[in-house]
Amino acid sequence: MSATITSPRSVDLKLDRRRFASLAASAGLSTLMLPAALRPARAAGGDLQVFEWSGYELPEFHQAYVDQHGDSPAFSMFGELEEALQKLRGGYTTDVTHPCTSSIGRWADAGVIRPVDTSRLVHWNDIFPSMREIKALHYGDDVIGVPVDWGNSSILYRSDLVEPMENSYNLFLDERYAGKMAFFDSADAFAQVCGLILGVHPFTMDENEIAEAADIMRRIHGNLRFYWTDPTQIEQALAAGEIVLSYSWNGSAKNLKAQGLDVSFMDPQEGILTWVCCLALGNGDPAMQDLAYDFINAWTSPEAGKNLIEMYGYGHSNTKAFPLVARETLDELGIADPDAMMAKGTFIEEMAPETREAVIRIFDDVKSGL
């Protein structure tokens, strides 16, 4: 299969499959429980095991591996980082997995991922320097993750139904839209936005700042219609007018614009949140290490990056991927100048364990109405 997308219909089919996999994961289904026609194939070059986000098993993201070994690796899927970590802690083994900078340190602490030898990475020097230098990816003297995909978290809103007073996360506090908002069901994400509204560094809040952020959480909670766990939930709700704004990833903005919906993805004055996810070596069979590096090298290629940008609207870590994409597409996605975007945004970092535990307790209290 060619890595180049040649038909709008082929893209639609792949997105449908991605949505199906995501919904399956959120329902607790593994790929082994899916019908045989929907299970990813095993690799002819060896049964490399990849524990991956739903929707990222498509060969367009590792075509060089398929070309080299004759088929895709064996995939199992997850839908959320904490779910994946707990499964690995419970003894599940994999050769490659896909954590994000918001939690990769916890994965390393748990001993479920291993250091990466960057000399074996063909495209390492083509990865954005700012991503290679993200603090969370450096564990002592070791590199523990290879950046591959990135995107932004912000407010996605119906431009025809919402008139922001300013480009700010304060829109979540605007009672004109009470009952017509949604938010990602994540304590980390909620705390990050509330910290930015408060004007403090959202990843290192002290006890007093967390208490102030909790007051903002309660005000936002009172304006929400629902919390979402899968982006299709907000895409459908925005399209139907059930909600008019939501915390969102930029991929949903791309999907709704493709449907002809009048939506805007805000660039807030407090700074857009930028998430970065990476491939890491798992705790599987050491004999699979050569295949693991082949897979990572395929994922970090410019061609894989082009497909990621065009198919899902997310950014890729390889600087050479962007010239392969039409400028019009990059402009539409707001990533024509990724260096500038990353410079003005806020990389999502990992909270200290005690901070995160406090945030989770407060988030649970807020959702319970306490």
Side-chain angles (χ1 to χ4, degrees), residues 200-269:
V200 301
H201 196 281
F203 311 106
T204 58
M205 291 187 288
D206 60 28
E207 185 177 345
N208 291 332
E209 290 168 341
I210 291 174
E212 291 183 71
D215 291 336
I216 297 174
M217 278 189 194
R218 293 185 177 91
R219 291 174 62 192
I220 294 176
H221 174 79
N223 286 339
L224 298 181
R225 186 172 183 86
F226 63 84
Y227 289 90
W228 60 269
T229 56
D230 185 280
T232 56
Q233 294 172 276
I234 55 169
E235 290 171 21
Q236 293 168 0
L238 283 164
E242 177 186 355
I243 61 172
V244 296
L245 66 95
S246 177
Y247 177 99
S248 175
W249 303 319
N250 53 299
S252 291
K254 175 183 182 297
N255 293 339
L256 291 176
K257 287 179 180 179
Q259 297 174 31
L261 206 67
D262 187 6
V263 295
S264 294
F265 191 68
M266 184 183 288
D267 184 4
Q269 61 189 23

Side-chain angles (χ1 to χ4, degrees), residues 342-354:
M342 285 182 266
K344 70 179 181 179
T346 300
F347 278 121
I348 295 175
E349 301 174 13
E350 190 164 8
M351 295 180 184
E354 60 275 12

Side-chain angles (χ1 to χ4, degrees), residues 81 100-104 106 188 192 276 348-351:
L81 287 170
C100 300
T101 59
S102 60
S103 63
I104 192 170
R106 295 179 66 227
D188 298 76
Q192 289 157 17
V276 179
I348 295 175
E349 301 174 13
E350 190 164 8
M351 295 180 184

